[in-house]
Amino acid sequence: MRKQIVAGNWKMNNDYVDSEQLVSKLREQYIESETEVIIAPPFTSLLCSSNLLKGSRINVAAQNMHYAENGAYTGEISAGMLKSIGVDTVILGHSERRAYFNETDALLAKKVNAALKNNMRIIFCFGEELSDRKSGNEEAIVEGQIKNALFHLPASAWTNIVLAYEPVWAIGTGETASPEQAQDMHAFIRKTIENKYSSALALDVSILYGGSVKPANAKEIFSKEDVDGGLIGGAALDVSQFTAIINAF
Ligand code: PEP
């Protein structure tokens, strides 16, 4: 049975003190349910966040990692380092990393391998640009991103993969894909996985939607059959908005 997940990507927001305040408030206001809740603070706030969340059902994820175990990669953080502070989930492939840090499908495949080798769970992001949608290429782009970074994996690896479909044109823009657009793409993604692996595997993969999810639209988007939750950016920085989105399930 696939999980329902709401994950908050803080991006480069919240210093140590802000993070402690936000996490404490979240812990107070969060009502436990079947939905898994994940927050992804910046690296400097991972440890304090997981300490503050000990004993709660909210998990902590990193926003990125390097593919090497260690070595001369100034400024980078490895899977082993994340694991050493108890972080075992990582977001990979976010469109901002693809756009601003030149992360390609080939690089992401290496990061995916490194995360899995370290027994980490991956929230793998992908999605088309507005120009792709306008030219009717959104399915081909999404299929390519998934295939290139993930289809070399054996079926057994997929227990550690969560997918996050995030149309680039909807991220941080206030423009959301309609619930129907999200459902259509999620169904296409599930079919693509079924074609490569099996129907049982495809039915077990959680596929999150990301792109301007807010309390006002979350319920309708989450009600769609193939939408298993959300990856939330801006609204995850506000505890009342984030908890309202969690409660939308
Ligand atoms: C994101 O960055 O993953 C995201 C979905 O951002 P926002 O919710 O702000 O559009």
Side-chain angles (χ1 to χ4, degrees):
M1 206 22 210
R2 60 185 188 256
K3 266 191 186 165
Q4 295 180 330
I5 301 171
V6 173
N9 172 17
W10 292 8
K11 312 191 185 193
M12 198 174 72
N13 291 296
N14 293 326
D15 65 16
Y16 185 85
V17 174
D18 300 332
S19 302
E20 283 193 325
Q21 283 169 357
L22 201 159
V23 171
S24 306
K25 213 165 146 194
L26 177 62
R27 193 171 173 164
E28 261 166 48
Q29 291 189 19
Y30 158 73
I31 303 164
E32 256 181 42
S33 69
E34 287 300 297
T35 306
E36 181 182 354
V37 176
I38 302 173
I39 55 163
F43 288 128
T44 47
S45 296
L46 285 172
L47 188 54
C48 73
S49 300
S50 34
N51 284 340
L52 284 168
L53 290 170
K54 274 208 179 98
S56 85
R57 293 187 56 199
I58 305 173
N59 294 318
V60 173
Q63 297 173 20
N64 179 36
M65 52 162 256
H66 196 269
Y67 59 80
E69 294 290 332
N70 47 50
Y73 297 100
T74 302
E76 294 292 327
I77 305 260
S78 71
M81 291 169 185
L82 294 172
K83 293 284 300 242
S84 76
I85 56 163
V87 172
D88 58 12
T89 303
V90 64
I91 298 174
L92 293 178
H94 193 279
S95 64
E96 287 151 17
R97 299 234 36 109
R98 293 176 189 260
Y100 308 143
F101 302 97
N102 303 319
E103 295 203 357
T104 60
D105 292 345
L107 176 77
L108 289 168
K110 284 168 122 180
K111 291 191 176 198
V112 163
N113 293 343
L116 293 174
K117 195 171 158 206
N118 283 276
N119 284 321
M120 293 187 77
R121 178 172 57 159
I122 298 163
I123 301 176
F124 186 78
C125 306
F126 53 88
E128 82 282 2
E129 308 261 349
L130 185 57
S131 55
D132 302 320
R133 187 160 276 268
K134 282 194 167 152
S135 59
N137 279 334
E138 67 272 19
E139 290 187 349
I141 294 292
V142 160
E143 188 176 0
Q145 289 170 326
I146 297 173
K147 276 188 176 168
N148 295 339
L150 300 176
F151 274 10
H152 62 286
L153 297 174
S156 58
W158 280 78
T159 48
N160 278 323
I161 307 278
V162 172
L163 298 179
Y165 167 59
E166 300 205 298
V168 179
W169 48 272
I171 296 180
T173 59
E175 188 165 339
T176 327
S178 68
E180 292 69 30
Q181 282 173 320
Q183 168 56 28
D184 287 351
M185 184 57 92
H186 283 222
F188 170 76
I189 293 162
R190 213 177 289 289
K191 193 78 204 156
T192 304
I193 297 165
E194 180 183 331
N195 292 342
K196 165 73 181 171
Y197 295 93
S198 67
S199 154
L201 190 152
L203 285 172
D204 257 9
V205 177
S206 298
I207 309 176
L208 315 185
Y209 169 79
S212 300
V213 176
K214 306 282 176 219
N217 58 24
K219 206 178 177 85
E220 214 187 334
I221 295 172
F222 294 167
S223 71
K224 293 295 175 191
E225 194 185 334
D226 287 291
V227 178
D228 305 311
L231 181 54
I232 319 299
L237 300 173
D238 179 299
V239 173
S240 10
Q241 286 194 44
F242 191 53
T243 47
I245 292 170
I246 297 164
N247 295 339
F249 264 124

